[in-house]
Amino acid sequence: MYKIRPMTTEDALQVSEMEKKYFSEPWSKQAFLDALGQNSYTYVVAEDGAEVIGYAGMYRVLEEGNITQVAVREDKRRTGVAGDLMRGLMRFGDELGVSAYTLEVRVSNAGAICLYESCGFEKESIRKNFYASPAEDAYIMWKR
């Protein structure tokens, strides 16, 4: 059974390795360490034993939280981990005074869109050519 907890510097290597697998423009271990050292970033991980099986992150500006990453190890997908990460991240955000959350998602990523909608997010607009490798538009979604 996994648990959701705040990310620590000890998690940065596992998280950066997952990042390389799942994102076209991955953050490095150092980028995660730098983010963890700033008050404006919040990260949570799903931990199963000594293994990180997922993570989610958010950058805060005043009362808004921009969810920057959500990833779950492939063998743990469709088990509820991503939803638990999202809810855990937003609980921390609520405690920090965040009242509105936003994120971008590839228009082709039906699974992620479904997850975000189940967490209360709504599509509000499209950002043209937001993603590279491959080039694709993004939905901008909000939960207010």
Side-chain angles (χ1 to χ4, degrees):
M1 186 63 184
Y2 63 88
K3 66 179 179 177
I4 306 297
R5 63 165 176 77
M7 184 188 295
T8 67
T9 57
E10 289 78 24
D11 301 318
L13 179 60
Q14 287 186 72
V15 168
S16 66
E17 290 300 314
M18 288 179 65
E19 183 89 354
K20 287 179 203 172
K21 290 180 183 178
Y22 305 129
F23 290 96
S24 61
E25 295 181 23
W27 282 28
S28 66
K29 175 184 173 185
Q30 189 59 52
F32 282 105
L33 291 171
D34 292 345
L36 289 171
Q38 298 179 37
N39 287 336
S40 55
Y41 283 92
T42 301
Y43 279 89
V44 295
V45 297
E47 179 184 60
D48 189 358
E51 289 186 279
V52 172
I53 61 170
Y55 62 97
M58 168 177 60
Y59 179 75
R60 295 182 320 281
V61 176
L62 302 173
E63 296 86 29
E64 291 182 356
N66 182 6
I67 296 177
T68 56
Q69 294 119 318
V70 180
V72 175
R73 210 170 67 189
E74 283 182 288
D75 64 325
K76 300 293 183 179
R77 292 183 182 168
R78 302 208 182 279
T79 63
V81 175
D84 289 342
L85 283 164
M86 289 289 293
R87 286 183 288 278
L89 184 63
M90 289 187 291
R91 263 194 312 276
F92 282 110
D94 293 348
E95 291 171 10
L96 294 166
V98 174
S99 59
Y101 297 89
T102 187
L103 55 82
E104 293 91 6
V105 60
R106 287 181 181 272
V107 297
S108 66
N109 194 341
I113 293 164
C114 184
L115 165 70
Y116 301 142
E117 288 176 338
S118 76
C119 291
F121 285 79
E122 298 178 353
K123 297 175 201 160
E124 291 198 7
S125 61
I126 292 180
R127 187 164 282 149
K128 294 287 185 187
N129 298 312
F130 181 74
Y131 291 103
S133 302
E136 189 171 355
D137 297 345
Y139 286 122
I140 300 173
M141 299 181 78
W142 282 89
K143 178 181 180 179
R144 299 180 198 273

